[in-house]
Amino acid sequence: MSVPADDVRRPPLDVPTLTAALSGTRWRAEVLAESPSTNAHVAALARAGEPTGLVLVAEHQSAGRGRLDRVWVTPPRAALTVSLLVEPAQVPVGRWPWLPLLTGLAVVDAVEALAGRRAWLKWPNDVLLGDRKLAGILTERIERGGGAVAVVGVGMNVTTTRDELPVDTATSLTLAGVPGPDRTALLLALLGSFDRWYDAWVRDRGAGLRDAYTAACSTVGRTVRVEVPGGGVLRGAAVGVDEEGRLLVDDGSGARPVGAGDVVHVRPG
């Protein structure tokens, strides 16, 4: 899939601006014209010894993978598809599941700062505008010599049209009425907000996010249906998130923690 070089609706990322803005920070950006999957690319680099701090962005992602191995493909320059390489060595392994939730908070902040829209989180790692999915998050733990690292992937629909969306329940910044969203500014806002949440999380050794995440999570307070790994289904009220980042679902016999699963919002709370 190609896009005209002079398509003013979808300009390329501004690499010189990115490079200048990230100078002196923990980040170094690399922009690819196309990648099957930025997460898979960064994971391979991580296993080969790539230093942390890499920000890999693809103008066109042709075979991306989301949660539950769902395929996520982006039209050229229509989305922000980025993967980060970090090493939260000070955080106990049991707290690493907070990393995608933390990233969701960073995306919410970036959207509000750049687009002036209040976004919400659907547990565990979808970002919503209203009830439509704007962005998804996928994190992977990579074991390598000297300690584990994490790949943090974010895919956000920016100028995607209705016909280009993979599902009817998705949206983009343009479809939400944001005029001329700037992907370069959006990426820089995302990295800045990620830094703030991530640094506090590492400093607190993986604690301190529960209240902020619960306040931003539209799943809490709703009736949900959760398709859990192995084929089971849990129905009940989402009543909160526990200290390990698991969703608490009360099915009538008490709150049960859910660490993984596909959540459907049945009705507003």
Side-chain angles (χ1 to χ4, degrees), residues 2-84:
S2 63
V3 62
D6 60 351
D7 188 344
V8 296
R9 298 177 305 120
R10 292 176 175 170
L13 288 161
D14 187 338
V15 176
T17 294
L18 283 175
T19 302
L22 298 179
S23 177
T25 74
R26 63 157 50 96
W27 305 113
R28 62 189 185 281
E30 180 179 348
V31 178
L32 304 178
E34 181 175 339
S35 173
S37 164
T38 56
N39 260 37
H41 194 144
V42 173
L45 291 174
R47 293 186 180 97
E50 179 76 20
T52 58
L54 176 64
V55 178
L56 186 72
V57 196
E59 294 282 27
H60 173 42
Q61 183 166 264
S62 57
R65 180 170 60 88
R67 287 186 62 250
L68 308 178
D69 287 327
R70 291 171 177 146
V71 175
W72 191 68
V73 178
T74 65
R77 304 182 191 167
L80 182 62
T81 52
V82 56
S83 296
L84 317 178

Side-chain angles (χ1 to χ4, degrees), residues 143-161:
E143 299 289 346
R144 66 182 188 182
V149 294
V151 179
V152 179
V154 176
M156 185 188 311
N157 299 317
V158 181
T159 60
T160 323
T161 66

Side-chain angles (χ1 to χ4, degrees), residues 4-213:
D6 60 351
D7 188 344
V8 296
R9 298 177 305 120
R10 292 176 175 170
L13 288 161
D14 187 338
V15 176
T17 294
L18 283 175
T19 302
L22 298 179
S23 177
T25 74
R26 63 157 50 96
W27 305 113
R28 62 189 185 281
E30 180 179 348
V31 178
L32 304 178
E34 181 175 339
S35 173
S37 164
T38 56
N39 260 37
H41 194 144
V42 173
L45 291 174
R47 293 186 180 97
E50 179 76 20
T52 58
L54 176 64
V55 178
L56 186 72
V57 196
E59 294 282 27
H60 173 42
Q61 183 166 264
S62 57
R65 180 170 60 88
R67 287 186 62 250
L68 308 178
D69 287 327
R70 291 171 177 146
V71 175
W72 191 68
V73 178
T74 65
R77 304 182 191 167
L80 182 62
T81 52
V82 56
S83 296
L84 317 178
L85 184 60
V86 296
E87 186 177 11
Q90 302 96 315
V91 177
V93 172
R95 296 284 185 172
W96 281 42
W98 274 105
L99 190 52
L101 281 64
L102 173 160
T103 306
L105 288 169
V107 173
V108 165
D109 284 354
V111 169
E112 185 165 1
L114 264 294
R117 297 293 193 275
R118 181 67 168 96
W120 297 93
L121 299 172
K122 177 186 173 189
W123 187 92
N125 51 10
D126 286 348
V127 181
L128 309 179
L129 281 178
D131 282 331
R132 292 183 178 273
K133 181 175 177 178
L134 175 70
I137 297 159
L138 181 68
T139 63
E140 300 179 54
R141 179 183 170 92
I142 306 294
E143 299 289 346
R144 66 182 188 182
V149 294
V151 179
V152 179
V154 176
M156 185 188 311
N157 299 317
V158 181
T159 60
T160 323
T161 66
R162 181 66 60 198
D163 290 341
E164 292 170 333
L165 290 172
V167 293
D168 291 339
T169 54
T171 191
S172 69
L173 292 178
T174 294
L175 288 172
V178 178
D182 183 334
R183 291 183 305 135
T184 302
L186 188 61
L187 174 56
L188 290 173
L190 173 59
L191 293 174
S193 56
F194 182 88
D195 277 340
R196 290 189 293 274
W197 287 108
Y198 179 82
D199 288 346
W201 179 67
V202 170
R203 186 172 58 249
D204 293 340
R205 294 180 53 81
L209 295 178
R210 183 180 179 184
D211 289 346
Y213 184 86

